[in-house]
């Protein structure tokens, strides 16, 4: 038995659909996603690290341990989603997803360089992964994505995208990078690290834009799945905010004058912004979803 005769190649049948959100993001990724973590200059960062107080070092190590493991997790866990999209013959989406996976690998690379070169091999950092962090990165994320290896239903895809793109990237990573960046920038320290985070945030905004597009497409095509999306979001929002509050609860006062409320409201605001966009896609025409996504991509406002 062979499937040879049933096979169709999009590029030689219907043509690549260049005016779609994934291809727009692919174009952006080819332009902005090609920075090299190995070229980041950490020399000043090394000096700055040595002048930090024990609590300052501790909070940076804590956040870095969360980013480092988080980047590894998203690198490891993305594959089943890529396979699902490939199986559906969505070549435009898969083309973008190749950049997505490569970028997550580079983010893993970036934080590893930081840990080795700036903090000087800190040893086992998993003690910094507290309950809420474990709920999301040790359990919810791999469970949702690995489900796709045996269940590629729209419902399973939706739960995977909500967990991965909306919660892990859109709420947690964004808020984490924002707090990290604020701490370093406001104190004018670690220029190499802040530069790297800047580049990494750009990559993440493309990932989130794709994820919100995917969620919106699924909710547009299967309006009855809205409850699934909403339920997943509501279940995971508390542990997501818990990651932020549990980390900062370890300090009194919080180093670098960081203000916990600022980050909790930032996380909530980002979540709400995307929630509203997804809600609008419920039963919408696919062309409307494209339009809303294009506008967000053009405004760099994933
Ligand atoms: Mn990343
Ligand atoms: Fe990402």
């Amino acid at each position: 038995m062979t499937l040879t005769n049933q096979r169709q190649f999009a590029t030689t049948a219907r043509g690549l659909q260049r005016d779609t959100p994934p291809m727009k993001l692919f174009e952006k990724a080819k332009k902005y996603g090609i920075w090299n973590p190995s070229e980041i200059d950490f020399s000043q960062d090394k000096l700055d690290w040595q002048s930090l107080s024990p609590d300052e070092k501790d909070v940076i190590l804590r956040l870095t341990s969360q980013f480092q493991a988080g980047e590894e997790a998203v690198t490891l866990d993305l594959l089943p989603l890529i396979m699902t999209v490939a199986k559906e013959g969505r070549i435009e989406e898969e083309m973008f997803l190749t950049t997505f996976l490569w970028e997550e690998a580079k983010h893993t690379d970036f934080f590893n360089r930081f840990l080795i070169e700036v903090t000087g091999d800190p040893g086992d950092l998993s003690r910094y992964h507290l309950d809420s962090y474990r709920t999301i990165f040790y359990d919810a994320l791999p469970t949702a994505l690995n489900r796709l290896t045996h269940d590629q239903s729209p419902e399973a895809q939706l739960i995977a995208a909500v967990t991965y793109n909306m919660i892990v990237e859109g709420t947690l990573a964004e808020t984490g990078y924002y707090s990290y960046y604020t701490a370093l920038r406001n104190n004018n320290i670690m220029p190499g690290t802040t530069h790297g985070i800047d580049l990494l945030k750009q990559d993440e905004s493309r990932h989130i834009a794709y994820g919100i597009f995917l969620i919106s497409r699924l909710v547009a095509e299967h309006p009855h799945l809205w409850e699934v999306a909403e339920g997943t979001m509501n279940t995971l929002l508390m542990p997501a905010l818990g990651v932020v509050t549990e980390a900062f609860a370890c300090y009194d006062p919080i180093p670098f004058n960081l203000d916990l409320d600022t980050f909790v409201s930032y996380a909530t605001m980002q979540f709400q912004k995307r929630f509203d966009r997804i809600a609008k896609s419920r039963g919408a025409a696919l062309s409307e979803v494209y339009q809303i996504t294009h506008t967000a991509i053009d405004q760099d406002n994933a």
Side-chain angles (χ1 to χ4, degrees), residues 67 70-71 74-75 100 103-105 107-108 111 164 169 173 177 200 203-204 207:
F67 298 144
E71 300 291 3
V74 292
T75 308
F100 191 139
E103 286 163 10
E104 298 302 11
H107 300 168
T108 306
F111 285 112
Y164 191 117
E169 295 190 307
Y177 295 139
L200 196 146
D203 296 344
E204 289 307 335
H207 304 172

Side-chain angles (χ1 to χ4, degrees), residues 18 22-32 96:
R18 289 198 172 265
M23 286 303 285
K24 275 201 157 190
L25 290 167
F26 184 59
E27 287 302 328
K28 274 200 160 181
K30 285 187 293 176
K31 198 164 167 187
Y32 302 111
F96 170 68

